[in-house]
Amino acid sequence: MDEKGKVLLVDVKDEMKEAYLSYAMSVIVGRALPDIRDGLKPVQRRILYAMQEMNLRPTEPYRKSARVVGDVLGKYHPHGDMAVYEALVRLAQDFTCRYPLVDGHGNFGSVDGDPPAAMRYTEVRLAPIAEEMLRDLEKDTVDFVPNFDESLKEPVVLPASFPQLLANGASGIAVGMATNIPPHNLRELVDGLLYLLDHPEASAEDLLRLIPGPDFPTGGKIVGRRGIEEYFREGRGKLVIRGEATVEEIARGKQAVVIRELPYQVNKASLVEHIARLVEEKKLPDVAEVRDESDREGIRVVLELKRGANPHYILRYLYKHTALEVSFGVILLALVSGKPEVCTMPQALKHFLDFRREVILRRSRFELKEAEERAHILEGFLRALDLIDQVIALIRSSQSVPEARRRLVEELGFTEKQAQAILEMRLQRLVALEREKLEEEYRDITAKIFRLREILEKEEVLRECIREELRRIRELYGDERRTRIIEEEEKEEEATPLIREEEVVITLTRDGYVKRVPLATYRRQGRGGKGVSAVATGEEDFVSTMVVTTTLHRALLFTSWGRAFQLPVHQLPEMGRQAKGMHLVNLLPLEEGERAVTLIPIRDFKEGKYLFFVTAKGRVKKIDLLELLSVTRRGVRVVELEEGDELEGVFTTCGEDRVFLATSQGLGLSFKEEEVRPMGKAASGVRGMSLREGDRVVGACVIRQNETLLVVTSSGMGKRVDPEEFPVHHRGGMGVRLLRESERSGKVVGVAAVKGEEELLLSTQKGLLIRVHTREVPIQSRVAQGVRLIRLEKDDQVTSFAVVLP
């Protein structure tokens, strides 16, 4: 029906489409999405503006929240009172906002999900940083529009002095779109803005160096950088957020897992309840008690463990099955020129800088106009003081104020405004001191006019003004980062499937078959025993490497081509004692002709550790263990080998060790590790030992205090030798006799440094394995042949051995 009451026929489909589009745009623009400039939704903007109009500044007393809600409803936001109060509450919650804009007094809810007190009980005022959102609002910095009933004016946007959208983040669901922006550290944001001012074409990668990623008010950890890089480049990304939990020793020698920080927006009470339910359902049988010891000092949730429990197992389970680790989908969507747009991080910061440029220009024009008007009046005052006798005589002889004003303009040449100001001037301005004040004010206002004109006319002066204001914000409100960012590999390690820590033996055959077997499978035997079957190898295959580690460690595997791969030990196939194992091609991308040489377990990657490489031709190389932190199952080259050479051994050092190299023909060389400097992964190394014709390096180790050198031969012979029998030489020499070579002793298989408290696992070509104690291996001279460690069949020989720590 039209205005005249005439019924109009319309297509219901078109009418519904038009009505729904109008509704959708109303929700998008007027309710759910923040503006890219001040980062606020309309209700938030109206709350801050209304509080300023009520003079609720940080230095003023608190006022009831109901009063603020009433003003916002009655003047600017005709919607539900609870919607306004909820928005007000969120602006005051320090666990929701990284930099709260409202200073709340009373119960404003908690991380336990407790609701805030009713608005009649709570009180509010503006937080100090909120004044930076409203600064210069009265100086024509932004446009004003009529409110809903056109009785008042309200700002379209606030003249924000800092990037509130990125500092506090935002979330909202509109029609057909949503936004979810994480909070960031203000100090880092300012650093990024300052860099962008000087480098307008800066990329996301450039900004990532200054703004590492989100900084949540509840702290926690962000696992991996991939999601951060994605939303910096594309405006969308997925973050994995994890709470901060540590293992602590508590009373009576027990351990506890203590949760001190939660992922952003995770309800603590629900998390504690979920953990307690898992304990009750026996899914966390090693947890004896769950306590929430949180107080005003911070969050503290204690999971007291039973004796012998593995706290790292508990942590991995919590990350996998509870809200201690959650995902955060970033969508950097905001209103740009009134339209919804997904922005990259550089774009979002540039939009803010463009807005600040506009605000400062408009403020400068406003201040320049005021300054010029004031200067004009001051010029009139100063000229009037110079002509004071004439001015007084003219005023006294005038019959009325309009006449006096007219005569000042016509007879003495003042302007209308100057004449009016002179007529309103108090007589005290005639004293000499007042004249000095006027002259000083005129000099100041002249300098201000010059400065403002420079801002308006010179781009570099304008940029410097923006810089100064950003630096002031950083100095006043910048703080330290709360959220840590850890690498993806650390997550991968901590997200290990739920298995208990167990000592295992990893065997690797020459042909590339690998498996793990529980260490308890092999019972200890005396020296000279026959051993038990450990691997059912083929006729041409044999065990080449054997290590003892636990299921919670990682294994670095090195190949003959000088490549390194990394795998969690638990991902290696667990098989029976006599099983052959799984071929490495099923686990790693090995090339044809490439074979696995050795495998070493790594408990953790710590600064100060090195990997020492030895090749069959006697070349050596050392790299920092941290260089291999990012190595995955895809592999990376760590040693460049010359033609005909291959990697023989790898072991860890501390940087000041004594290195020992042994050859198959029974020669050994000892030198200081300092003679080999750390190198990059692309280096080929330096000469470590000179070799005789037909000889090759078969073993290497480090010798530390109170250790002896264990030597094992292919015929099953072995001995321990005092390291003092091997003088320290320089690298590159041929060494001294390690073993008197004979048909009975056979070739040297390898060497190891032991203290006599360890156990020894020997493996043979036919797959037999024996476990003996190293104290049963006697200490002999370096030229002795050794004693029998294992009885071998005629066509069998020892191929490898491993030392088991006590």
Side-chain angles (χ1 to χ4, degrees):
M1 187 174 293
D2 62 9
E3 296 177 355
K4 297 179 180 179
K6 183 180 179 181
V7 176
L8 301 176
L9 296 177
V10 296
D11 190 320
V12 66
K13 184 174 71 173
D14 296 338
E15 183 65 21
M16 289 183 67
K17 181 178 179 181
E18 184 178 344
Y20 190 77
L21 284 174
S22 299
Y23 163 74
M25 287 306 299
S26 173
V27 172
I28 291 168
V29 177
R31 190 180 307 176
L33 299 184
D35 194 289
I36 195 75
R37 296 169 291 181
D38 63 3
L40 297 173
K41 300 177 184 180
V43 64
Q44 296 170 327
R45 188 177 301 116
R46 288 162 176 167
I47 287 171
L48 297 181
Y49 180 62
M51 291 178 72
Q52 187 198 46
E53 291 295 290
M54 294 170 66
N55 198 33
L56 291 182
R57 301 187 181 279
T59 54
E60 299 298 322
Y62 291 95
R63 199 80 62 85
K64 288 290 185 183
S65 300
R67 172 72 185 278
V68 174
V69 172
D71 264 37
V72 173
L73 286 179
K75 294 181 178 179
Y76 310 112
H77 198 73
H79 297 281
D81 59 343
M82 287 312 298
V84 175
Y85 184 50
E86 286 173 6
L88 177 63
V89 165
R90 287 181 63 84
L91 290 175
Q93 290 176 334
D94 59 2
F95 54 88
T96 298
C97 289
R98 183 64 177 81
Y99 302 94
L101 300 176
V102 171
D103 180 7
H105 185 241
N107 174 17
F108 280 82
S110 71
V111 291
D112 285 325
D114 300 321
M119 67 179 81
R120 61 182 178 274
Y121 298 120
T122 59
E123 298 176 330
V124 293
R125 65 184 177 190
L126 289 171
I129 196 171
E131 292 199 305
E132 304 299 337
M133 297 291 298
L134 298 155
R135 186 178 298 277
D136 301 324
L137 186 61
E138 72 284 356
K139 295 182 179 179
D140 191 35
T141 50
V142 295
D143 293 332
F144 279 71
V145 294
N147 67 338
F148 63 91
D149 62 0
E150 299 188 358
S151 61
L152 297 168
K153 295 275 189 177
E154 63 174 313
V156 174
V157 65
L158 297 184
S161 300
F162 68 97
Q164 199 281 144
L165 178 67
L166 297 172
N168 276 327
S171 63
I173 301 174
V175 178
M177 61 186 68
T179 185
N180 201 30
I181 304 170
H184 297 76
N185 185 277
L186 184 57
R187 185 180 294 172
E188 295 170 355
L189 286 173
V190 171
D191 289 341
L193 289 168
L194 293 174
Y195 183 83
L196 205 56
L197 268 175
D198 297 327
H199 307 84
E201 302 303 319
S203 65
E205 288 71 20
D206 296 329
L207 292 176
L208 273 167
R209 291 196 291 268
L210 301 167
I211 311 171
D215 188 24
F216 297 105
T218 52
K221 296 181 286 190
I222 299 172
V223 185
R225 301 179 183 274
R226 188 176 307 167
I228 300 173
E229 293 169 357
E230 285 176 354
Y231 87 80
F232 264 60
R233 286 195 304 262
E234 303 166 14
R236 296 175 184 267
K238 181 181 177 183
L239 308 178
V240 177
I241 313 172
R242 178 180 294 176
E244 184 67 52
T246 57
V247 179
E248 294 183 7
E249 296 289 337
I250 57 175
R252 301 180 301 279
K254 290 185 178 180
Q255 288 186 309
V257 172
V258 181
I259 301 170
R260 295 187 175 276
E261 295 175 1
L262 297 179
Y264 186 50
Q265 295 178 331
V266 165
N267 186 308
K268 176 165 65 71
S270 298
L271 175 63
V272 174
E273 183 183 344
H274 186 195
I275 295 173
R277 190 163 60 248
L278 291 173
V279 173
E280 186 179 336
E281 294 171 354
K282 308 297 183 184
K283 293 181 179 178
L284 281 172
D286 289 341
V287 177
E289 185 181 357
V290 181
R291 300 190 302 273
D292 187 357
E293 299 179 357
S294 305
D295 54 22
R296 291 185 178 181
E297 300 300 318
I299 294 171
R300 181 180 171 85
V301 178
V302 180
L303 279 65
E304 188 174 326
L305 307 183
K306 296 178 181 177
R307 292 186 186 278
N310 185 343
H312 302 288
Y313 165 84
I314 305 298
L315 273 174
R316 283 190 294 275
Y317 191 93
L318 294 175
Y319 292 143
K320 187 177 180 68
H321 295 280
T322 72
L324 194 57
E325 179 177 292
V326 297
S327 295
F328 186 98
V330 179
I331 308 174
L332 221 164
L333 176 71
L335 295 175
V336 180
S337 301
K339 298 178 182 178
E341 182 178 316
V342 175
C343 300
T344 65
M345 199 67 171
Q347 288 173 344
L349 293 173
K350 285 176 184 175
H351 283 306
F352 175 76
L353 285 177
D354 291 343
F355 176 58
R356 283 307 298 166
R357 181 177 279 104
E358 179 188 350
V359 166
I360 292 174
L361 287 174
R362 290 183 63 160
R363 181 189 68 195
S364 298
R365 293 189 192 103
F366 180 87
E367 291 180 346
L368 178 62
K369 181 180 178 183
E370 280 194 335
E372 288 176 338
E373 289 176 354
R374 180 60 180 166
H376 182 64
I377 298 299
L378 291 173
E379 287 170 355
F381 283 165
L382 293 171
R383 184 163 174 263
L385 290 175
D386 291 336
L387 305 172
I388 190 61
D389 293 335
Q390 293 175 258
V391 170
I392 292 174
L394 186 149
I395 294 173
R396 289 187 64 184
S397 62
S398 298
Q399 299 299 315
S400 64
V401 172
E403 181 187 349
R405 182 168 55 245
R406 178 181 58 78
R407 291 180 62 192
L408 284 171
V409 172
E410 293 176 355
E411 297 178 19
L412 297 180
F414 291 101
T415 65
E416 287 281 350
K417 290 183 178 180
Q418 289 175 332
Q420 184 62 37
I422 291 168
L423 291 172
E424 294 173 356
M425 184 173 66
R426 299 173 66 178
L427 289 176
Q428 69 179 31
R429 286 295 182 97
L430 300 179
V431 301
L433 188 61
E434 285 297 315
R435 180 184 178 91
E436 290 179 9
K437 288 183 180 179
L438 286 173
E439 290 175 344
E440 182 180 355
E441 183 183 358
Y442 184 70
R443 286 195 297 271
D444 291 344
I445 206 79
T446 303
K448 183 178 181 180
I449 290 171
F450 178 79
R451 170 70 173 168
L452 291 171
R453 284 176 176 166
E454 276 198 320
I455 292 174
L456 291 170
E457 295 169 3
K458 298 179 180 179
E459 178 65 22
E460 182 51 44
V461 178
L462 173 61
R463 283 204 299 268
E464 186 56 35
C465 182
I466 297 174
R467 287 191 196 95
E468 289 175 3
E469 295 189 5
L470 288 173
R471 291 190 189 107
R472 180 183 62 82
I473 292 290
R474 180 176 61 186
E475 185 68 26
L476 287 175
Y477 306 104
D479 58 2
E480 296 299 322
R481 165 172 281 275
R482 300 179 189 176
T483 302
R484 291 196 302 118
I485 301 173
I486 61 177
E487 298 298 332
E488 190 74 30
E489 283 68 27
E490 189 175 341
K491 171 185 183 293
E492 187 178 301
E493 179 176 359
E494 293 176 353
T496 305
L498 298 176
I499 59 172
R500 290 190 177 277
E501 186 171 13
E502 180 183 27
E503 283 193 302
V504 293
V505 178
I506 303 175
T507 57
L508 177 66
T509 74
R510 185 192 64 175
D511 288 348
Y513 288 90
V514 66
K515 70 170 183 178
R516 62 183 171 93
V517 179
L519 178 61
T521 303
Y522 306 107
R523 63 181 178 84
R524 185 184 303 160
Q525 298 181 24
R527 176 174 63 82
K530 294 184 64 176
V532 296
S533 178
V535 179
T537 59
E539 292 184 6
E540 301 296 328
D541 197 10
F542 58 87
V543 174
S544 60
T545 303
M546 183 168 46
V547 296
V548 179
T549 182
T550 77
T551 48
L552 298 185
H553 293 167
R554 304 184 72 79
L556 284 174
L557 187 139
F558 300 90
T559 72
S560 57
W561 289 8
R563 291 206 296 166
F565 301 87
Q566 186 178 167
L567 277 173
V569 170
H570 74 269
Q571 290 186 7
L572 298 175
E574 182 178 5
M575 297 186 179
R577 180 165 54 85
Q578 292 185 302
K580 186 176 183 179
M582 178 185 290
H583 203 281
L584 281 170
V585 295
N586 297 312
L587 300 171
L588 303 172
L590 298 180
E591 301 289 340
E592 186 177 352
E594 185 178 18
R595 63 179 180 84
V597 169
T598 189
L599 179 148
I600 57 176
I602 297 293
R603 181 184 296 269
D604 55 14
F605 290 83
K606 288 186 178 177
E607 192 172 356
K609 275 189 176 182
Y610 297 94
L611 279 174
F612 203 92
F613 299 88
V614 180
T615 74
K617 288 189 175 183
R619 294 193 70 80
V620 295
K621 174 184 175 180
K622 183 173 71 174
I623 67 173
D624 195 314
L625 184 58
L626 290 175
E627 291 272 350
L628 273 67
L629 179 63
S630 59
V631 173
T632 64
R633 65 176 65 230
R634 292 189 293 272
V636 66
R637 185 169 299 282
V638 290
V639 181
E640 288 292 336
L641 298 170
E642 63 181 55
E643 188 175 353
D645 199 4
E646 62 181 15
L647 190 61
E648 176 57 39
V650 186
F651 50 89
T652 58
T653 64
C654 68
E656 300 177 352
D657 284 322
R658 177 182 171 188
V659 179
F660 189 88
L661 273 60
T663 74
S664 63
Q665 295 181 6
L667 293 174
L669 175 66
S670 175
F671 61 88
K672 292 183 179 180
E673 179 193 346
E674 289 95 323
E675 295 195 12
V676 182
R677 62 175 178 81
M679 306 175 190
K681 286 182 286 194
S684 59
V686 295
R687 178 165 299 282
M689 186 175 184
S690 298
L691 303 177
R692 295 177 179 177
E693 185 70 28
D695 202 1
R696 61 175 288 156
V697 174
V698 293
C701 65
V702 295
I703 305 175
R704 298 186 175 95
Q705 193 173 3
N706 299 325
E707 290 184 335
T708 56
L709 192 67
L710 174 68
V711 184
V712 177
T713 72
S714 60
S715 62
M717 305 292 287
K719 66 176 180 178
R720 286 189 291 153
V721 184
D722 188 338
E724 295 304 319
E725 294 204 35
F726 299 96
V728 177
H729 292 93
H730 293 293
R731 66 172 178 84
M734 296 188 68
V736 297
R737 178 60 59 187
L738 169 66
L739 180 82
R740 191 173 65 209
E741 188 180 5
S742 68
E743 187 175 342
R744 179 172 179 266
S745 65
K747 299 285 188 181
V748 174
V749 171
V751 292
V754 297
K755 292 184 176 181
E757 302 168 354
E758 306 87 349
E759 293 178 345
L760 186 62
L761 292 177
L762 286 91
S763 179
T764 74
Q765 189 168 356
K766 289 188 175 182
L768 296 178
L769 185 144
I770 190 171
R771 179 176 178 179
V772 298
H773 206 288
T774 55
R775 65 168 171 260
E776 297 183 46
V777 183
I779 298 177
Q780 298 181 340
S781 71
R782 63 181 178 87
V783 294
Q785 290 188 354
V787 298
R788 185 157 301 283
L789 302 179
I790 184 172
R791 294 198 313 271
L792 298 172
E793 298 178 8
K794 289 184 179 181
D795 55 349
D796 199 6
Q797 62 179 353
V798 174
T799 56
S800 63
F801 69 92
V803 175
V804 183
L805 298 177

